[in-house]
Amino acid sequence: MAVVLALASAVVYGAADFLGGLASRRASVFGVVAVSQAAGLLALVVLLPWLGGPVTAADLAWGAAAGLAGSAGLLVFFRALAGGVMSVIAPVTALTAAAVPVLVGVLGGERIGPWATAGILLALAAVVLVSAEGGLRALRGARAPSLAPALVAGTAFGLFFVLLDRTSAGAGLTPLAAARVASVALVVGVALATHQVLRPGRAALPLVLVSGLGDMTANALFLLATQQGGQLAITGVLASLYPVSTVVLAQLVLRERLVPAQVAGLATAATAVVLITLPG
């Protein structure tokens, strides 16, 4: 069940990112991020009486830390995209985000079978390939200055998964409320300090709201996957396959053409999922 929930979170994460990307073409990025996250928070508050659970101060602290890591990653990522090469930044960020929970899980003593190990390695490769819109040639020509912010953003995204995994199994979705409050506060604070526009505009608002609900749903699915006893190294790397659904939606809706590396990445991702689900 944990594997299914983690995969579902990846699908929804990718769809939410796709909608958020469309909205960002029509409105301020800060407005998109702030309003979408606020929408997700409101939806979560409504559902907490049924989906929440008893929490400790530690649960709330882990949740808040996860929210800060996730929003900090977003800010660094968007800043990097504004001044860097997307075909380099996106795959490096995605790979780092996938690698962090794997590394933390393994160093924390998780024992992974040979099939799952092979699947994890393939999944890491798939994340890079699917995200490589400019093909592998752009990655080979990457230089250190363009890689540093991508590594920072990816590490922050990976830490989001790691920190949520630290919450207790009986807490339900309540830690996500702390995560989202901290996240919204950071994004709004930075936006106000840098005089950014926080209103996404009427044309982009429907996309922003659906993106925010989707992102919160994906967070909930991932948290439930960890609470079902899923290993962090596996749930984290599966959730990090979110670029797959983003790329597929871009092809279906926007008619974007896949480069050969992305086609190979989709096939690699499918193989990785099969291997991870094999017993032993």
Side-chain angles (χ1 to χ4, degrees), residues 8 33 69 76 111 115 138 152 230 246 255 263:
V33 173
V76 174
R111 301 186 65 179
W115 289 118
V152 172
T246 303
R255 302 299 181 186
V263 175

PDB file of all heavy atoms in Angstrom, residues 8 33 69 76 111 115 138 152 230 246 255 263:
ATOM      1  N   ALA A   8       1.035   7.377  -6.259  1.00  0.00           N
ATOM      2  CA  ALA A   8      -0.085   8.303  -6.449  1.00  0.00           C
ATOM      3  C   ALA A   8       0.331   9.729  -6.127  1.00  0.00           C
ATOM      4  O   ALA A   8      -0.066  10.680  -6.812  1.00  0.00           O
ATOM      5  CB  ALA A   8      -1.263   7.882  -5.565  1.00  0.00           C
ATOM      6  N   VAL A  33       2.484  30.780  -6.131  1.00  0.00           N
ATOM      7  CA  VAL A  33       2.925  29.921  -5.030  1.00  0.00           C
ATOM      8  C   VAL A  33       2.158  30.251  -3.749  1.00  0.00           C
ATOM      9  O   VAL A  33       1.640  29.356  -3.068  1.00  0.00           O
ATOM     10  CB  VAL A  33       4.441  30.063  -4.795  1.00  0.00           C
ATOM     11  CG1 VAL A  33       4.863  29.297  -3.546  1.00  0.00           C
ATOM     12  CG2 VAL A  33       5.212  29.555  -6.005  1.00  0.00           C
ATOM     13  N   ALA A  69      11.576  23.875   4.510  1.00  0.00           N
ATOM     14  CA  ALA A  69      12.496  23.307   3.528  1.00  0.00           C
ATOM     15  C   ALA A  69      11.883  23.327   2.134  1.00  0.00           C
ATOM     16  O   ALA A  69      12.529  23.706   1.151  1.00  0.00           O
ATOM     17  CB  ALA A  69      12.868  21.872   3.925  1.00  0.00           C
ATOM     18  N   VAL A  76      14.543  29.066  -4.159  1.00  0.00           N
ATOM     19  CA  VAL A  76      15.849  28.902  -4.801  1.00  0.00           C
ATOM     20  C   VAL A  76      15.686  28.373  -6.218  1.00  0.00           C
ATOM     21  O   VAL A  76      16.373  28.819  -7.158  1.00  0.00           O
ATOM     22  CB  VAL A  76      16.736  27.943  -3.966  1.00  0.00           C
ATOM     23  CG1 VAL A  76      18.043  27.641  -4.702  1.00  0.00           C
ATOM     24  CG2 VAL A  76      17.029  28.547  -2.604  1.00  0.00           C
ATOM     25  N   ARG A 111      17.103  -1.602   5.238  1.00  0.00           N
ATOM     26  CA  ARG A 111      17.643  -2.691   4.429  1.00  0.00           C
ATOM     27  C   ARG A 111      16.762  -2.873   3.197  1.00  0.00           C
ATOM     28  O   ARG A 111      15.559  -3.081   3.308  1.00  0.00           O
ATOM     29  CB  ARG A 111      17.701  -3.990   5.245  1.00  0.00           C
ATOM     30  CG  ARG A 111      18.559  -3.858   6.502  1.00  0.00           C
ATOM     31  CD  ARG A 111      18.721  -5.190   7.209  1.00  0.00           C
ATOM     32  NE  ARG A 111      19.465  -6.143   6.393  1.00  0.00           N
ATOM     33  CZ  ARG A 111      19.765  -7.387   6.779  1.00  0.00           C
ATOM     34  NH1 ARG A 111      19.345  -7.823   7.954  1.00  0.00           N
ATOM     35  NH2 ARG A 111      20.438  -8.184   5.982  1.00  0.00           N
ATOM     36  N   TRP A 115      16.232  -6.336  -5.800  1.00  0.00           N
ATOM     37  CA  TRP A 115      15.344  -5.817  -6.841  1.00  0.00           C
ATOM     38  C   TRP A 115      15.005  -4.352  -6.588  1.00  0.00           C
ATOM     39  O   TRP A 115      15.021  -3.522  -7.515  1.00  0.00           O
ATOM     40  CB  TRP A 115      14.050  -6.629  -6.907  1.00  0.00           C
ATOM     41  CG  TRP A 115      14.215  -8.008  -7.461  1.00  0.00           C
ATOM     42  CD1 TRP A 115      13.967  -9.184  -6.816  1.00  0.00           C
ATOM     43  CD2 TRP A 115      14.663  -8.366  -8.781  1.00  0.00           C
ATOM     44  NE1 TRP A 115      14.235 -10.252  -7.634  1.00  0.00           N
ATOM     45  CE2 TRP A 115      14.657  -9.777  -8.853  1.00  0.00           C
ATOM     46  CE3 TRP A 115      15.070  -7.641  -9.892  1.00  0.00           C
ATOM     47  CZ2 TRP A 115      15.036 -10.481  -9.996  1.00  0.00           C
ATOM     48  CZ3 TRP A 115      15.464  -8.320 -11.047  1.00  0.00           C
ATOM     49  CH2 TRP A 115      15.437  -9.726 -11.085  1.00  0.00           C
ATOM     50  N   ALA A 138      23.070  19.067 -22.962  1.00  0.00           N
ATOM     51  CA  ALA A 138      23.069  20.246 -22.093  1.00  0.00           C
ATOM     52  C   ALA A 138      23.644  19.917 -20.725  1.00  0.00           C
ATOM     53  O   ALA A 138      24.359  20.722 -20.121  1.00  0.00           O
ATOM     54  CB  ALA A 138      21.649  20.784 -21.942  1.00  0.00           C
ATOM     55  N   VAL A 152      21.180  22.938  -4.279  1.00  0.00           N
ATOM     56  CA  VAL A 152      20.576  23.473  -3.053  1.00  0.00           C
ATOM     57  C   VAL A 152      19.067  23.259  -3.072  1.00  0.00           C
ATOM     58  O   VAL A 152      18.474  22.787  -2.092  1.00  0.00           O
ATOM     59  CB  VAL A 152      20.909  24.969  -2.891  1.00  0.00           C
ATOM     60  CG1 VAL A 152      20.110  25.570  -1.734  1.00  0.00           C
ATOM     61  CG2 VAL A 152      22.399  25.159  -2.652  1.00  0.00           C
ATOM     62  N   GLY A 230       6.093   2.547   4.959  1.00  0.00           N
ATOM     63  CA  GLY A 230       6.942   2.510   3.784  1.00  0.00           C
ATOM     64  C   GLY A 230       8.358   2.977   4.095  1.00  0.00           C
ATOM     65  O   GLY A 230       8.562   3.897   4.887  1.00  0.00           O
ATOM     66  N   THR A 246       4.255  15.337 -15.159  1.00  0.00           N
ATOM     67  CA  THR A 246       4.336  16.691 -15.715  1.00  0.00           C
ATOM     68  C   THR A 246       4.646  16.644 -17.198  1.00  0.00           C
ATOM     69  O   THR A 246       4.015  17.340 -18.014  1.00  0.00           O
ATOM     70  CB  THR A 246       5.426  17.508 -14.992  1.00  0.00           C
ATOM     71  OG1 THR A 246       5.160  17.531 -13.591  1.00  0.00           O
ATOM     72  CG2 THR A 246       5.462  18.937 -15.506  1.00  0.00           C
ATOM     73  N   ARG A 255       0.932  19.651 -26.413  1.00  0.00           N
ATOM     74  CA  ARG A 255       1.516  19.050 -27.616  1.00  0.00           C
ATOM     75  C   ARG A 255       3.018  19.270 -27.708  1.00  0.00           C
ATOM     76  O   ARG A 255       3.571  19.431 -28.802  1.00  0.00           O
ATOM     77  CB  ARG A 255       0.839  19.610 -28.880  1.00  0.00           C
ATOM     78  CG  ARG A 255      -0.672  19.401 -28.921  1.00  0.00           C
ATOM     79  CD  ARG A 255      -1.022  17.937 -28.887  1.00  0.00           C
ATOM     80  NE  ARG A 255      -2.475  17.739 -28.949  1.00  0.00           N
ATOM     81  CZ  ARG A 255      -3.066  16.548 -28.817  1.00  0.00           C
ATOM     82  NH1 ARG A 255      -2.337  15.468 -28.593  1.00  0.00           N
ATOM     83  NH2 ARG A 255      -4.370  16.446 -28.890  1.00  0.00           N
ATOM     84  N   VAL A 263      11.975  10.200 -23.645  1.00  0.00           N
ATOM     85  CA  VAL A 263      11.330   8.934 -23.996  1.00  0.00           C
ATOM     86  C   VAL A 263      12.011   7.782 -23.249  1.00  0.00           C
ATOM     87  O   VAL A 263      11.354   6.906 -22.675  1.00  0.00           O
ATOM     88  CB  VAL A 263      11.373   8.700 -25.512  1.00  0.00           C
ATOM     89  CG1 VAL A 263      10.799   7.324 -25.852  1.00  0.00           C
ATOM     90  CG2 VAL A 263      10.602   9.790 -26.244  1.00  0.00           C
TER      91      VAL A 263
END
